[in-house]
């Protein structure tokens, strides 16, 4: 009989540590496992071979005998390949527990974090510019007060699941391996509710409104998100709550509009103010400011007020306010106003009686004369 080299079977050196042996076995066992290689006799024989090698090299006494005599008590031709093999139950469960599920005892549901919540919140431009504090009410699931979260009517308790007998697992035989799956009746909890709580209908939770205070920093804009940790939905099986995300929407302002950290506005000027110059008072996000309008200011000119715009997020500095002026033409004129404007037009050489076409014709005629004069030189 040809003796197998167990070190060669697992692909490790003779001075390999116990951890190295176990790691090599894990990799090979997963590769050649029968459930991954159905109807593959070669893989099945290889799987048995690596099990045999591991059962020897993982045991210090057997490994010492093998290193000294080339054999070890309890391994070799007489190796037991029952459902788990001699001593293989612990090995199999350690290696494949996560892959196939827990094999013995009751599976405890893992604590799972609750779902995150989103809340859309409208704020004004001024609130966005300088920050604000808000109080909101968020609908979310809370533990039922009537049953204290058990899901059963007061005075009643959940009973042991008859399908899995309280283990939360249903055992299934596949080939020569026995694996488990989560019990569908109790969903792995091992217990079922026979007399549901009327307040929560057996869920153990009810919808309630939670009052939450918010501190919104200056500089936020539409689409900005604030995360409030542990204020989302309740967790499962003792897990943490999810998070609450506040999605901000900045409402339009009747006078200002925003571009980045700057805010823009338009301010009317009368004709005398634009022509003669003036000092006007302009609204800002936090009060008023005076602007000096120089004489002969055209409509559309812009003035900048430094540091009167939107606060920069995470900073105390602010953008600017841009003021655009335009000439406000009166809708009605008194006889005296009309008389004075006509006199102004005459003095300025501007005949208001002429139509736009006539003035345009004079302009091109004048331009043509200039061209003819220049062409003679």
């Amino acid at each position: 009989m040809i003796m197998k080299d167990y070190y060669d079977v697992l692909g490790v050196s003779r001075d390999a540590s116990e951890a190295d042996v176990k790691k090599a076995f894990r990799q090979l066992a997963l590769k050649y496992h029968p459930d991954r290689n159905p109807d593959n006799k070669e893989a099945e024989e290889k799987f048995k071979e690596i099990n045999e090698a591991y059962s020897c090299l993982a045991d210090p006494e057997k490994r010492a005998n093998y290193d000294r005599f080339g054999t070890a008590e309890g391994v070799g031709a007489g190796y037991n390949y029952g459902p788990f093999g001699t001593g293989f139950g612990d090995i199999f469960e350690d290696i494949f527990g996560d892959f196939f599920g827990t094999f013995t005892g009751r599976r405890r549901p893992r604590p799972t974090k609750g779902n995150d919540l989103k809340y859309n919140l409208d704020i004004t431009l001024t609130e966005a510019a300088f920050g604000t504090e808000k109080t909101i009410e968020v609908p979310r699931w809370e533990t039922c007060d009537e049953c204290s979260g058990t899901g059963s009517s007061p005075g009643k308790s959940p009973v042991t699941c008859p399908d899995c007998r309280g283990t939360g697992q249903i055992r299934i035989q596949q080939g020569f391996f026995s694996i488990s799956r989560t019990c569908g009746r109790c969903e792995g909890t091992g217990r079922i509710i026979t007399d549901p709580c009327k307040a929560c209908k057996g869920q153990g939770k009810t919808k309630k409104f939670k009052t939450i205070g918010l501190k919104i920093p200056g500089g936020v804009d539409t689409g900005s998100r604030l995360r409030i940790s542990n204020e989302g939905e309740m967790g499962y099986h003792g897990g943490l709550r999810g998070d609450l995300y506040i999605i901000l929407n900045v409402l339009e302002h009747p006078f200002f509009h925003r571009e980045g950290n700057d805010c823009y506005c338009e301010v009317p000027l009368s004709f005398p103010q634009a022509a003669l110059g003036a000092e006007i008072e302009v609204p800002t996000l936090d009060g008023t400011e005076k602007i000096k309008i120089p004489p002969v200011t055209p409509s559309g000119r812009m003035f900048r007020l430094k540091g009167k715009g939107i606060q920069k997020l995470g900073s105390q500095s602010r953008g600017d306010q841009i003021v655009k002026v335009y000439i406000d033409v009166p809708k009605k004129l008194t006889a005296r106003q009309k008389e004075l404007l006509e006199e102004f037009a005459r003095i300025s050489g501007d005949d208001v009686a002429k139509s736009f076409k006539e003035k345009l014709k004079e302009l091109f005629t004048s331009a043509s004369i200039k061209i003819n004069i220049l062409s003679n030189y």
Side-chain angles (χ1 to χ4, degrees), residues 39-216:
D39 301 323
N40 188 332
K41 292 295 182 183
E42 184 180 347
E44 184 176 339
E45 290 302 318
K46 183 68 175 178
F47 187 65
K48 292 178 180 179
E49 188 178 70
I50 62 177
N51 290 336
E52 179 181 332
Y54 181 74
S55 67
C56 172
L57 300 184
D59 186 303
E61 184 178 349
K62 291 179 181 180
R63 181 175 179 178
N65 288 335
Y66 178 77
D67 289 342
R68 186 174 182 184
F69 304 111
T71 184
E73 183 182 356
V75 298
Y79 185 76
N80 178 6
Y81 296 106
F84 297 129
T86 303
F88 186 56
D90 293 339
I91 299 170
F92 185 88
E93 188 169 340
D94 178 49
I95 303 300
F96 298 99
D98 290 338
F99 185 74
F100 293 102
T102 306
F103 285 82
T104 59
R106 176 179 173 183
R107 169 177 285 186
R108 295 180 180 177
R110 294 181 179 179
T112 305
K113 185 178 180 180
N115 295 326
D116 294 335
L117 290 176
K118 290 183 179 179
Y119 187 98
N120 296 317
L121 179 63
D122 291 339
I123 60 175
T124 66
L125 179 62
T126 304
E127 290 172 332
F130 305 116
T132 186
E133 293 185 2
K134 292 280 188 179
T135 300
I136 61 174
E137 288 190 339
V138 180
R140 67 182 191 182
W141 290 107
E142 300 281 359
T143 300
C144 176
D145 294 330
E146 191 73 18
C147 66
S148 300
T150 66
S152 295
S153 295
K156 302 289 185 178
S157 299
V159 299
T160 301
C161 176
D163 289 4
C164 64
R165 296 185 176 87
T167 64
Q169 301 291 302
I170 301 295
R171 192 180 296 275
I172 302 173
Q173 192 77 24
Q174 287 191 359
F176 53 84
F177 291 107
S178 177
I179 65 174
S180 297
R181 63 174 175 79
T182 302
C183 176
R185 185 168 183 178
C186 66
E187 298 181 346
T189 63
R191 300 172 73 79
I192 58 175
I193 298 170
T194 56
D195 189 4
C197 170
K198 292 181 175 57
C200 65
K201 299 179 180 178
Q203 297 184 80
K205 58 184 181 179
T206 56
K207 276 283 186 181
K208 296 181 181 179
F209 283 89
K210 173 64 182 297
T211 301
I212 298 174
L214 303 176
K215 190 172 183 179
I216 301 173

